[in-house]
Amino acid sequence: MQLTEEQQQIREVARAFAQREIAPFAAEWDRAGGTPRELYQKMADVGLMGVMIDPQWGGAGADFVSYALAIEEISAADGGISNMMAANNSPVAMAIQQSGTDRQRRDYLTKLTSGEWLGSIHLTEPHTGSDAAAIRTRATRDGDEYVLTGHKAFITAGASAGVAMIVAVTDPDAGKRGITTFITPTDNPGYQVIAKETKLGHRTNDTCQVVFEDMRVPVSDVLGEPGRGLGIALGNLSLGRIAAAAQAVGGARAALNAGHSYAQEREAFGRPIFEHQAISFTLADMATQVEAGRQLYLHAAQMRDQGLDCAREASMAKLFAAEMAERVASKAIQIHGGYGYLNDYPVEKIYRDVRVYQIYEGTSEVQKMLISRMLDGIDGIDG
C-alpha cells in the first residue's frame, strides 16, 4: 500500500528515535534486565506513547496505520521496549479514551500520553490464557468502593506502570456479562507485585505476577459500565494482534539486516559469503517473507482505519508474521554460523525476542482456530 505523507513522517520519527535512543543500548539493557525509566518519557516527547489518542488528551491523533508503522520501527531496535509502548497505547490508553469519563481521561489518560505514567493491562491469570472469560479475580461492591481480590500473571509493566487496567468478576452468576474493568494507580495499597519473571526474551521490560489483597477501588474508577468489562478489555483485540504482527516484522527485519551486513563482511573461499548463492538466495527468501508480513499487517491496519471488520485479516497477519519472524531470525543465526550463537552479535538476542510473538495476543493455534471459523467469503473458498 502507498503511505500518506503523515504516515511516512510518523514512521521516520519512530525510526530516528529507535536508531538514536534505543538501538545503541539495547544489548546492554538486555543484559541488565531493564530499561531506564526516562526512555519512555523521551518516547512520549516525540508522540509515541499516545499515537492514536486525541490531541485534547495529549496524543498525536494519528491513524492506526501510523501506529503500526511506529511499532515496527521500535521493535526493530528492541522487542521488549516495543511491547511496553504497545501496552501503553492499546489497550490501556485507547480503552480509557473510548470508554472513560472526562475525569478519567484527565486524571489517567493525560499521564499516559505524557510519559509520566506507564499503563499495564491485567487480564491474564495463572490458570487462564486465551480463555479470558474464565478469570477468577473478584470485585465486590462495598458502598462507594469495590474490593478486589485476585492473582494476575504475565503482566507487562506490572512493576513499572503507574496505572493498572484490571479485569475482574463482579457478578459470578452472569458469565461474560458479569465482568467489569477498573482503572487504579499502582500505588494503591492493595496492589502487590509478588514476582518479576525471568524470561527468554523481552528482558528490557518487566513481566510480573501481581496480586490484589482486598484492594479498594472507588466506583468512580470503573471503566465504562459494570458488566461490560470483557468487551472493553477485548474490544481492541484486532488492534493488539496487528500490533503484534508489526512487532514481529520489526524483529524479523532486524534479523534480516544483521544477516545481510554479516554476509557482506564475512569471507569464505576467497570472497564475501553473500556472493555464494546459498547465502544470497537465503537472504532473498528472508526479505520476501519480511515484506509479506509487512503487507499483511498494513492491509489489516488500513481496513481498521476504514471502519471495516478486520478480525480475520488481523489473525492472518499475526499468525504469519509471528511464525515468519522465528524462521527469519533462525536463518540469520545460520548465516552467522557459530558467531550467531553468541551474544556478541545481535541475532542471538533477536531470536530470543521474536519467539514470544507466537504466544501473546493469542497463540498461533488460537489464530488458526479463528481463521478457520472465518473462511467463508475468501475468494476461492466454497465458490
Side-chain angles (χ1 to χ4, degrees), residues 24 113 135 161 163 165 181 306 312 358:
T113 57
I135 62 172
V163 62
M165 175 177 158
T181 295
Q306 293 171 344
R312 182 179 65 196
Q358 296 176 56

Side-chain angles (χ1 to χ4, degrees), residues 245 248-250 252-253 285-286 288-294 318-330 354 358:
V249 169
R253 189 185 93 198
D285 183 59
M286 292 161 64
T288 301
Q289 292 186 60
V290 170
E291 185 60 28
R294 179 179 294 115
K318 202 269 184 184
L319 172 64
F320 178 85
E323 300 203 342
M324 173 275 295
E326 185 181 8
R327 293 194 303 269
V328 167
S330 180
V354 300
Q358 296 176 56

Side-chain angles (χ1 to χ4, degrees), residues 291-325:
E291 185 60 28
R294 179 179 294 115
Q295 294 305 319
L296 278 169
Y297 89 65
L298 285 174
H299 174 60
Q302 186 179 53
M303 288 182 66
R304 192 270 180 187
D305 279 335
Q306 293 171 344
L308 302 174
D309 181 6
C310 62
R312 182 179 65 196
E313 288 74 14
S315 286
M316 287 178 168
K318 202 269 184 184
L319 172 64
F320 178 85
E323 300 203 342
M324 173 275 295

Side-chain angles (χ1 to χ4, degrees), residues 188-254:
N188 188 317
Y191 184 99
Q192 297 187 26
V193 176
I194 61 169
K196 290 185 180 181
E197 307 293 4
T198 302
K199 300 170 292 185
L200 174 69
H202 284 221
R203 296 177 181 175
T204 51
N205 68 36
D206 56 291
T207 302
C208 303
Q209 294 187 49
V210 179
V211 297
F212 314 125
E213 293 190 355
D214 296 328
M215 184 174 75
R216 291 186 170 270
V217 177
V219 171
S220 59
D221 275 343
V222 169
L223 186 59
E225 298 177 16
R228 302 291 296 275
L230 197 61
I232 292 171
L234 303 183
N236 289 311
L237 266 181
S238 291
L239 273 69
R241 287 169 180 164
I242 297 168
Q247 287 181 285
V249 169
R253 189 185 93 198

Side-chain angles (χ1 to χ4, degrees), residues 51-101:
V51 179
M52 297 177 287
I53 301 303
D54 192 299
Q56 176 184 1
W57 308 111
D63 61 10
F64 184 55
V65 168
S66 298
Y67 169 64
L69 290 166
I71 281 284
E72 179 188 333
E73 295 303 327
I74 300 302
S75 182
D78 183 83
I81 293 169
S82 74
N83 198 29
M84 294 280 274
M85 173 186 166
N88 195 85
N89 274 270
S90 179
V92 182
M94 280 294 289
I96 296 173
Q97 174 169 266
Q98 292 171 345
S99 301
T101 64

Side-chain angles (χ1 to χ4, degrees), residues 34-200:
T35 306
R37 178 63 182 82
E38 57 266 24
L39 174 70
Y40 298 102
Q41 180 67 65
K42 293 179 180 179
M43 291 177 72
D45 290 343
V46 296
L48 294 177
M49 299 305 278
V51 179
M52 297 177 287
I53 301 303
D54 192 299
Q56 176 184 1
W57 308 111
D63 61 10
F64 184 55
V65 168
S66 298
Y67 169 64
L69 290 166
I71 281 284
E72 179 188 333
E73 295 303 327
I74 300 302
S75 182
D78 183 83
I81 293 169
S82 74
N83 198 29
M84 294 280 274
M85 173 186 166
N88 195 85
N89 274 270
S90 179
V92 182
M94 280 294 289
I96 296 173
Q97 174 169 266
Q98 292 171 345
S99 301
T101 64
D102 280 350
R103 196 275 304 170
Q104 290 170 341
R105 295 179 186 123
R106 186 172 55 253
D107 290 354
Y108 295 112
L109 186 54
T110 56
K111 289 183 173 65
L112 294 173
T113 57
S114 70
E116 180 179 346
W117 282 354
L118 295 172
S120 58
I121 170 70
H122 295 247
L123 177 62
T124 304
E125 299 183 356
H127 63 284
T128 65
S130 298
D131 186 8
I135 62 172
R136 297 174 184 168
T137 296
R138 293 290 185 264
T140 304
R141 182 75 179 259
D142 182 19
D144 291 334
E145 295 178 318
Y146 280 90
V147 181
L148 275 66
T149 303
H151 184 181
K152 299 292 185 178
F154 301 108
I155 306 303
T156 299
S160 56
V163 62
M165 175 177 158
I166 302 166
V167 184
V169 176
T170 47
D171 184 353
D173 298 323
K176 294 181 180 179
R177 297 179 184 276
I179 295 174
T180 300
T181 295
F182 301 84
I183 47 177
T184 190
T186 57
D187 62 3
N188 188 317
Y191 184 99
Q192 297 187 26
V193 176
I194 61 169
K196 290 185 180 181
E197 307 293 4
T198 302
K199 300 170 292 185
L200 174 69

